[in-house]
Amino acid sequence: MAASDQHRSRHHDGSPSKPNKRKKVRQNPEANLLFSLNSCSKSKDLSAALALYDAAVTSSEVRLNQQHFQTLLYLCSACISDTSLQKLAIDRGFKIFDCMVNSGISPNEASITSVARLAAAKGDGDYAFKVVKDFVSVGGVSIPRLRTYAPALLCFCERLEAEKGYEVEEHMDAAGIALEEAEITALLKVSAATGRGNKVYRYLHKLREYVGCICEETSKVIEEWFCGEKASEVSDNGICSGVGMLREAVLKNGGGWHGHGWVGEGKWIVKKGNVSSTGRCLTCSEQLACVDTNEVETQKFVDSLVALAMKRKAKLNSCEATAVFSEFQDWLEKHGDYEAIVDGANIGLYQQNFADGSFSLSQLESVVKEYHESGNNKWPLILLHKRRVRALLENPTHRDLVEEWISNGVLYATPPGSNDDWYWLYAAAKLKCLLVTNDEMRDHIFELLGSSFFQKWKERHQVRYTFVKGNLNLEMPSPFSVVMQESEKGSWHVPVLCENNEESSRTWMCISRQSVLDSSKINGKLATS
């Protein structure tokens, strides 16, 4: 028999063939229903989905599960923006949720979020908050997110129920959930509308801390507050007499804010303008700060670096390597008068990935010379692996320069088995100085240090560089930070998002007391005369 005939006979000999697994899955009524519900969800066909649900409830063949209910609740919440479907979506959504609970099926975070949205759309912030609190109290694998709390919080704020909004925020804080711009703005707006000046101050600082550049809608809320009567009534309660205290607080916080409350008295003037490339406000001539991490944050950063370095070394080389890192800490304590730390390997190997490429000492020398000649004749500190230093010393062409660096305390050789990264990052953080490297510091270990803090630290301390035809160009950190700032005079400067993100065209809100502006004019005239 021919091979083709044999092949045909095996499939047509009358014996039953094995059922196709894919067909078997589709014949499952539960899976079939879920597939149909997902199709309705994609097309936002609420009526068809509800018809499928009603048929399934009366059917003895289908057992509704968590996924069915989750898809239905999501679709109901997605239809509340359609005025023609809103009432149906809310009414049926609550009935579906009741059926889910009565069936003994535990709702997950996605289902709770959908129900909270339905309740908020109905204007029932209390129920939106209750379902979230009940969900949290039960516990489990699924945990609440910002989107879970947002419906209740935004509903309370919209209905000017400020205290209830603050309660939701406290619950979120206890759950470790940070607010974002929409939620902070809502709390700011309700606080302004109900005349709670201290709360407005608090949420302005929340925007400063978590947002940076605000959107146009938020800027309108801020402007409305400062232009209102309630804002002119808030005062410093005697704080203005302690200008030295405010200045000290600003320095302690890393610049850009003091956090001691409203300063001065009287009417506020809100103007919109630009900031120069050096950070001077072109509206009031005040110099904006380059905001650094505060003392507490920086110390935590240094401590976490040490802990991670020690832990990593202990795994690799037992206790001997941890002692070596401790030696570097002691050495830095005695010799730590540096304004810049240089990642030697990163600079020496820059653009050396070609056939004859090798470690470029001339590139490293250019960076060191640039800092020495432009920094009051102060040398930077180079961190370079001991193996690399040994190889440079063995080269007659390089020996004299490397020996000069060693004798001047410019070069520290990191020991075998060590990661250079730990040394240069620790030194820069400990000394609160600049770090010259193009390293993006994206390793998993760096992520353990905290992404938001670490990003802020890099913006303030990292110096990038390029070599174009052998010529060095150092890209210094910006002379000012594009974040909301509060001065010791009580003035506020607020950056607004712009489409192209070009600093020269960015709009800044300049907000000052009339008394401060008048005082500046008088001082300006005296200085001129």
Side-chain angles (χ1 to χ4, degrees):
M1 188 183 287
S4 59
D5 294 334
Q6 287 178 349
H7 180 76
R8 195 179 297 113
S9 68
R10 279 199 296 268
H11 287 81
H12 299 278
D13 59 358
S15 60
S17 59
K18 290 183 180 179
N20 187 301
K21 277 190 174 183
R22 185 175 244 175
K23 286 184 179 177
K24 188 175 180 181
V25 170
R26 288 198 174 180
Q27 287 166 1
N28 183 316
E30 283 79 17
N32 258 339
L33 175 61
L34 184 60
F35 180 82
S36 300
L37 288 174
N38 282 330
S39 298
C40 293
S41 180
K42 287 177 183 177
S43 60
K44 286 196 174 182
D45 192 344
L46 180 60
S47 299
L50 292 175
L52 288 168
Y53 167 72
D54 291 336
V57 169
T58 57
S59 171
S60 58
E61 295 181 2
V62 181
R63 293 186 63 183
L64 292 167
N65 59 36
Q66 189 186 70
Q67 286 181 299
H68 297 131
F69 284 112
Q70 178 184 321
T71 306
L72 284 159
L73 289 169
Y74 169 76
L75 180 55
C76 287
S77 68
C79 290
I80 56 179
S81 56
D82 187 334
T83 52
S84 64
L85 293 174
Q86 189 181 69
K87 189 176 184 309
L88 176 66
I90 292 172
D91 292 344
R92 292 303 305 270
F94 281 120
K95 287 177 182 176
I96 290 168
F97 182 61
D98 288 340
C99 180
M100 180 183 192
V101 175
N102 292 333
S103 301
I105 298 172
S106 299
N108 58 11
E109 180 274 331
S111 299
I112 291 296
T113 298
S114 296
V115 175
R117 287 171 179 165
L118 291 168
K122 192 180 175 183
D124 192 350
D126 292 312
Y127 188 75
F129 190 25
K130 179 184 179 300
V131 290
V132 180
K133 287 190 289 186
D134 291 346
F135 174 67
V136 172
S137 65
V138 171
V141 178
S142 189
I143 57 174
R145 294 158 62 181
L146 174 63
R147 67 177 190 176
T148 321
Y149 283 98
L153 188 147
L154 296 176
C155 181
F156 286 140
C157 291
E158 194 175 320
R159 297 169 70 87
L160 299 184
E161 296 180 280
E163 292 300 334
K164 290 181 178 180
Y166 303 149
E167 187 184 346
V168 176
E169 185 200 358
E170 287 177 14
H171 210 272
M172 292 173 69
D173 191 50
I177 298 170
L179 296 168
E180 291 185 1
E181 185 172 5
E183 291 71 35
I184 300 172
T185 302
L187 288 162
L188 173 65
K189 189 174 182 179
V190 73
S191 300
T194 54
R196 292 170 164 84
N198 289 338
K199 288 287 188 181
V200 171
Y201 183 83
R202 180 172 180 268
Y203 292 118
L204 283 172
H205 276 290
K206 285 272 187 185
L207 286 172
R208 176 194 60 75
E209 185 177 359
Y210 294 110
V211 180
C213 288
I214 61 169
C215 68
E216 194 66 40
E217 186 180 341
T218 302
S219 73
K220 289 176 183 176
V221 174
I222 293 173
E223 184 173 6
E224 190 176 328
W225 157 256
F226 280 106
C227 291
E229 286 187 21
K230 288 288 182 183
S232 63
E233 293 172 7
V234 295
S235 64
D236 57 17
N237 296 319
I239 287 179
C240 63
S241 59
V243 176
M245 177 187 73
L246 294 179
R247 189 169 294 137
E248 186 181 335
V250 170
L251 290 171
K252 189 175 180 181
N253 292 336
W257 65 285
H258 55 76
H260 279 270
W262 302 110
V263 176
E265 293 180 346
K267 188 179 177 183
W268 295 86
I269 304 298
V270 180
K271 293 184 179 181
K272 293 180 181 178
N274 302 109
V275 168
S276 73
S277 59
T278 58
R280 189 164 295 281
C281 176
L282 300 178
T283 304
C284 70
S285 298
E286 191 167 306
Q287 177 64 42
L288 298 183
C290 185
V291 180
D292 202 349
T293 54
N294 65 46
E295 290 179 2
V296 175
E297 286 178 321
T298 304
Q299 191 54 52
K300 281 183 180 177
F301 181 40
V302 171
D303 292 343
S304 61
L305 268 172
V306 173
L308 285 168
M310 294 292 195
K311 186 177 179 181
R312 186 76 172 265
K313 282 179 168 296
K315 283 182 179 178
L316 296 173
N317 300 323
S318 72
C319 58
E320 183 182 345
T322 59
V324 169
F325 191 78
S326 297
E327 284 177 18
F328 174 65
Q329 288 179 271
D330 295 338
W331 182 90
L332 196 65
E333 199 71 40
K334 295 172 184 174
H335 303 85
D337 187 24
Y338 299 99
E339 293 180 359
I341 305 299
V342 176
D343 178 2
N346 185 268
I347 295 166
L349 296 171
Y350 177 75
Q351 291 184 336
Q352 298 301 307
N353 54 340
F354 53 90
D356 298 323
S358 60
F359 188 90
S360 173
L361 188 65
S362 61
Q363 290 182 170
L364 185 55
E365 183 184 13
S366 296
V367 173
V368 172
K369 271 187 175 180
E370 177 71 23
Y371 266 96
H372 184 243
E373 292 171 3
S374 63
N376 301 320
N377 288 328
K378 292 186 75 171
W379 293 101
L381 173 64
I382 308 167
L383 274 303
L384 200 58
H385 199 276
K386 188 171 282 186
R387 183 186 68 254
R388 183 81 61 186
V389 174
R390 191 183 300 118
L392 291 170
L393 287 169
E394 289 171 357
N395 186 327
T397 310
H398 299 149
R399 186 181 301 129
D400 289 346
L401 177 61
V402 175
E403 286 179 346
E404 181 189 343
W405 284 348
I406 293 171
S407 64
N408 287 330
V410 179
L411 177 63
Y412 186 94
T414 60
S418 297
N419 187 340
D420 294 3
D421 298 3
W422 293 115
Y423 287 81
W424 50 250
L425 187 55
Y426 171 80
K430 179 68 177 175
L431 302 181
K432 302 181 179 68
C433 64
L434 296 173
L435 170 63
V436 189
T437 182
N438 281 350
D439 195 315
E440 293 296 341
M441 294 175 265
R442 287 176 178 156
D443 293 352
H444 172 65
I445 292 297
F446 291 132
E447 290 175 8
L448 296 176
L449 300 171
S451 57
S452 60
F453 167 83
F454 195 35
Q455 186 60 37
K456 183 164 67 171
W457 186 87
K458 285 200 295 181
E459 286 174 3
R460 175 66 183 89
H461 293 270
Q462 186 174 8
V463 178
R464 298 177 186 276
Y465 62 87
T466 55
F467 284 94
V468 181
K469 294 181 179 179
N471 296 315
L472 170 67
N473 177 46
L474 293 174
E475 299 171 18
M476 304 298 287
S478 172
F480 68 101
S481 299
V482 186
V483 294
M484 188 182 296
Q485 299 196 23
E486 172 197 36
S487 77
E488 61 199 47
K489 298 175 184 176
S491 301
W492 293 80
H493 287 86
V494 185
V496 182
L497 281 173
C498 55
E499 287 183 11
N500 55 12
N501 220 28
E502 281 289 327
E503 292 310 318
S504 58
S505 61
R506 184 185 303 284
T507 298
W508 283 75
M509 298 175 70
C510 174
I511 306 166
S512 298
R513 297 272 195 185
Q514 182 67 60
S515 56
V516 171
L517 292 173
D518 293 341
S519 174
S520 297
K521 287 177 183 176
I522 293 168
N523 291 337
K525 287 178 181 177
L526 288 171
T528 305
S529 63

